[in-house]
Amino acid sequence: MNQSSKQGWRTLLFLLLAAAAVLGACAGPADDHVKQKNVALIVRMKHGDYWRTVKLGAEMAAREFGVNVNFYAPDYEEDVKGQLALVRQAFADGTDAVVIAPDGQQVLDEAAARAKEQRIPVLTIDSELTGPGVASCIGTDHYDSGQKAGEKLIELVGPYGRIAVLGAGGGNGGQREKGLLDAIARYPGVTIAAREYAVSDQNQASELAAGIIAAQPIDGIAALNAVSALGAAHEIEKRGLAGKVKVVAIDSPPDVLAYIQEGVIQATIMQKPFSMGYLGVKHAVEAINGLPVPARVDTGTKIIDMDNMFWSENQKLLFPFVK
């Protein structure tokens, strides 16, 4: 090949490479544009297995549907001011949809108002709260959870038992309590000996359980959240009452499951936080793309006790992050 031919070949090769680079540059932003759709996932607390599992489900959906999930959460539950600040931060960062587990109506209203200004969808998870501008509510039917807890506790203590209610009185907890009381009302021989409220302080829950047990003989405790369940279980174990005072919990963190294995807690109503995170992002992507989304999605619950907690299907629900 002579020098002229070599030069012509080099020129042709350079032009081909340049053309490929131009085409790649043109294709790159289009692909990036699809991947850069952002979904803000705002929950009530950054710690704990429950919210970790919600996040895991959201991240799986994000990979499947080609979007990015930005995770926002305060350090502790009931930090309304902290969550409000994170709502504002999410919008400042830029987002195409918001999936939120609001810690109160004020937080949801703030998110919905900002979303309306920017014409982006808002979806709630793990909450009975709703309002104008909320495209979909995804989570547990908390009234049904309370009913299941009540029925299970009566199954354990009998139709003439004395029971105590320990849990949260507002929001999701209020719905659980209503369901529980409606279930118990069908058994006139069952007496409600005490009702106390503990939301996020396990020591307080333990003290309340101690007071209940010391004041009068009881046959069972309905613990309407994990903190209440752990506080009650600690006190029952300390007093040597395991199996004598029956406990039915709601939620299934590892410590509650350990107490079930030890016979201190008899059963728990398991929610499905992985499904909440996954479906929250899935339906957010559909809403971004202008597709219709369901107004309400019940992710369901399951009663877990010593008889079924090691079933393969239940292990997958209890530990979705274990490969």
Side-chain angles (χ1 to χ4, degrees):
M1 184 180 291
N2 59 37
Q3 189 65 30
S4 177
S5 297
K6 287 179 180 178
Q7 186 63 39
W9 173 248
R10 288 172 182 163
T11 301
L12 177 60
L13 181 60
F14 173 80
L15 290 173
L16 289 171
L17 290 172
V22 169
L23 288 172
C26 291
D31 292 342
D32 288 345
H33 180 69
V34 173
K35 292 178 182 177
Q36 286 173 0
K37 290 289 185 183
N38 291 313
V39 176
L41 175 63
I42 308 171
V43 301
R44 290 195 291 277
M45 184 171 67
K46 67 173 59 172
H47 309 292
D49 289 280
Y50 185 88
W51 297 114
R52 175 188 172 199
T53 306
V54 168
K55 184 182 178 186
L56 185 72
E59 289 171 342
M60 178 171 284
R63 289 192 296 270
E64 184 174 337
F65 298 104
V67 296
N68 181 54
V69 169
N70 294 318
F71 183 73
Y72 302 87
D75 287 331
Y76 303 101
E77 288 204 46
E78 300 181 325
D79 183 2
V80 174
K81 288 184 178 179
Q83 200 182 38
L84 278 170
L86 291 172
V87 167
R88 294 165 190 144
Q89 184 63 52
F91 281 94
D93 292 342
T95 188
D96 299 288
V98 172
V99 177
I100 185 168
D103 206 341
Q105 192 67 48
Q106 182 185 3
V107 177
L108 180 58
D109 290 346
E110 175 87 9
R114 289 177 178 268
K116 183 177 180 181
E117 289 176 2
Q118 298 187 22
R119 297 184 178 181
I120 64 173
V122 173
L123 301 87
T124 64
I125 58 171
D126 185 63
S127 176
E128 297 286 348
L129 296 176
T130 188
V134 175
S136 184
C137 298
I138 301 160
T140 304
D141 182 336
H142 293 285
Y143 177 85
D144 180 68
S145 295
Q147 288 225 314
K148 286 179 178 175
E151 292 286 350
K152 184 64 178 179
L153 190 57
I154 290 167
E155 176 188 318
L156 292 165
V157 305
Y160 298 98
R162 292 174 59 83
I163 67 172
V165 181
L166 187 60
N172 296 346
Q175 289 295 311
R176 293 173 185 178
E177 185 176 25
K178 188 174 187 306
L180 174 82
L181 296 178
D182 285 351
I184 292 170
R186 294 195 286 269
Y187 300 87
V190 174
T191 302
I192 298 176
R195 289 162 65 184
E196 298 287 355
Y197 301 102
V199 180
S200 57
D201 187 334
Q202 187 174 321
N203 290 331
Q204 180 196 22
S206 185
E207 291 172 4
L208 291 171
I212 291 169
I213 293 168
Q216 60 209 307
I218 59 168
D219 301 301
I221 296 176
L224 300 181
N225 55 36
V227 166
S228 297
L230 294 174
H234 172 77
E235 198 60 34
I236 286 169
E237 184 175 47
K238 185 173 77 172
R239 292 169 177 259
L241 296 173
K244 298 175 183 177
V245 177
K246 311 295 186 183
V247 180
V248 173
I250 293 181
D251 284 341
S252 52
D255 287 347
V256 166
L257 299 178
Y259 274 125
I260 290 176
Q261 283 186 264
E262 294 164 10
V264 181
I265 294 175
Q266 279 61 52
T268 191
I269 312 303
M270 179 190 67
Q271 299 189 76
K272 298 180 180 177
F274 184 91
S275 296
M276 293 179 205
Y278 180 89
L279 293 174
V281 171
K282 176 181 184 292
H283 291 315
V285 172
E286 292 169 347
I288 290 171
N289 293 328
L291 299 174
V293 296
R296 179 75 173 93
V297 179
D298 179 4
T299 48
T301 58
K302 196 162 191 179
I303 298 173
I304 298 294
D305 57 21
M306 193 58 194
D307 291 335
N308 67 13
M309 69 182 297
F310 292 107
W311 293 0
S312 176
E313 63 187 83
N314 290 339
Q315 286 285 296
K316 290 176 183 177
L317 291 171
L318 290 165
F319 305 106
F321 40 82
V322 177
K323 300 295 184 184

